[in-house]
Amino acid sequence: MSWHRKHLLTLEDLTREEILHVLDTAESFKEVSTRSIKKVPALRGKVVANLFFEPSTRTRISFGLAAKRLSADTIDFVSAGSSTVKGETFKDTSKNIEAMGIDIAVLRHTAPGAPKMLSECIDARVVNAGDGPHEHPTQGLLDIFTIREEKGKVEGLNVLFVGDITHSRVARSNIWGLKKLGASVGVVGPATLIPKKIEELGVKVYYDLDEVIGEFDVINLLRIQLERQRQNLFPSIREYSRLFGINGERMKRAKPDVVIMHPGPINRGVEITPEVADGANSVILKQVTNGLAVRMAVLYLVSGIK
Ligand code: CP
């Protein structure tokens, strides 16, 4: 198929065929990172601006490296230390950076919908790198890429998300993508962290992890996002870990070949113990490696270069 989208804003927008096209393009870019000279000229002469208005380690570095591997020039903007602290608006900052001549803007922002708004006020192509609790489409794509690599397929798999579903852009993007590719998706967590009407997305809701853990091929653990919670939504971190944390004991109830995922950053000892995070079933660092190939694919496809 050929790619026609100027922006990547959500996985809700993408068709099954478009998602598969990104994954297949990422397969070919993954090989580039195994070469002694890890670079291709695909985006030579283009400028990619990383605009990060919210903290990030993986996504910011991954997009920066992906752009460099494609031979693009890069601008790395982080709001702390910029003129936003003097009162410049998000729109003015973005338009000023665009005036320096950028082709693709990669945006992380605390506000849901900020990438869509940016796409409507600048001419450059826009990629959503996480907008508040709304979506994180490249994380969804890299998670699905990793599942396909580990299991050889996505269709027919049972995938479980554990924890703070309400505040998770990662869960939302994954749910859109996985459902389009034919996976069954479940969510489990405290009732206060499961959004109302999530069943309308075709997701099964559970409240007891031990009862259902053995049914799943993939378990994706979500970070408890204390920074997005405005009230105490469960009694204590200790209580949360006891009921929903994955530890060695709980792993005995899971399928022996279950794939354990986490988008990072991990709260070790809260949603996952070190023995599981660093254990044989964990693909957490493979997700990070695959993120680079997926982001190379996304930057290349939205650039419009054939
Ligand atoms: N997974 C993820 O988005 O991590 P960062 O917040 O470090 O980018």
Side-chain angles (χ1 to χ4, degrees), residues 56-59 108 136 139 263-264:
S56 168
T57 299
R58 280 145 290 269
T59 313
R108 169 166 290 191
H136 193 348
Q139 182 71 45

Side-chain angles (χ1 to χ4, degrees), residues 89-107:
T89 65
F90 162 62
K91 193 169 166 183
D92 280 334
T93 298
S94 304
K95 285 183 88 70
N96 275 268
I97 292 171
E98 189 187 36
M100 296 178 208
I102 65 168
D103 299 287
I104 303 174
V106 175
L107 175 66

Side-chain angles (χ1 to χ4, degrees), residues 217-235:
D217 304 297
V218 178
I219 300 178
N220 201 330
L221 304 170
L222 304 170
R223 186 172 64 87
I224 289 297
Q225 302 192 28
L226 296 172
E227 75 276 19
R228 289 197 221 284
Q229 293 179 14
R230 290 182 180 81
Q231 50 188 317
N232 289 336
L233 295 173
F234 49 87

Side-chain angles (χ1 to χ4, degrees), residues 158-174:
N158 280 332
V159 182
L160 182 67
F161 290 84
V162 183
D164 184 356
I165 314 297
T166 299
H167 300 93
S168 177
R169 55 194 176 206
V170 173
R172 224 169 303 283
S173 287
N174 264 278

Side-chain angles (χ1 to χ4, degrees), residues 78-236:
V78 283
S79 54
S82 76
S83 290
T84 57
V85 297
K86 301 177 197 165
E88 188 171 54
T89 65
F90 162 62
K91 193 169 166 183
D92 280 334
T93 298
S94 304
K95 285 183 88 70
N96 275 268
I97 292 171
E98 189 187 36
M100 296 178 208
I102 65 168
D103 299 287
I104 303 174
V106 175
L107 175 66
R108 169 166 290 191
H109 204 283
T110 50
K116 181 160 173 52
M117 180 187 147
L118 185 65
S119 73
E120 289 162 359
C121 72
I122 65 173
D123 290 329
R125 288 142 200 277
V126 176
V127 177
N128 180 0
D131 57 336
H134 176 222
E135 276 225 34
H136 193 348
T138 58
Q139 182 71 45
L141 288 164
L142 77 87
D143 288 346
I144 296 168
F145 182 96
T146 306
I147 291 171
R148 190 171 79 160
E149 188 175 73
E150 291 297 311
K151 294 290 189 187
K153 63 174 188 176
V154 176
E155 190 157 4
L157 293 178
N158 280 332
V159 182
L160 182 67
F161 290 84
V162 183
D164 184 356
I165 314 297
T166 299
H167 300 93
S168 177
R169 55 194 176 206
V170 173
R172 224 169 303 283
S173 287
N174 264 278
I175 289 167
W176 285 115
L178 287 165
K179 292 298 297 176
K180 285 174 189 182
L181 298 193
S184 294
V185 180
V187 297
V188 64
T192 46
L193 294 178
I194 308 274
K196 287 187 180 62
K197 299 193 179 174
I198 189 141
E199 293 95 334
E200 289 176 9
L201 299 181
V203 169
K204 289 189 193 137
V205 177
Y206 307 98
Y207 299 102
D208 186 333
L209 176 57
D210 287 324
E211 250 180 32
V212 298
I213 189 170
E215 296 172 20
F216 289 90
D217 304 297
V218 178
I219 300 178
N220 201 330
L221 304 170
L222 304 170
R223 186 172 64 87
I224 289 297
Q225 302 192 28
L226 296 172
E227 75 276 19
R228 289 197 221 284
Q229 293 179 14
R230 290 182 180 81
Q231 50 188 317
N232 289 336
L233 295 173
F234 49 87
S236 69

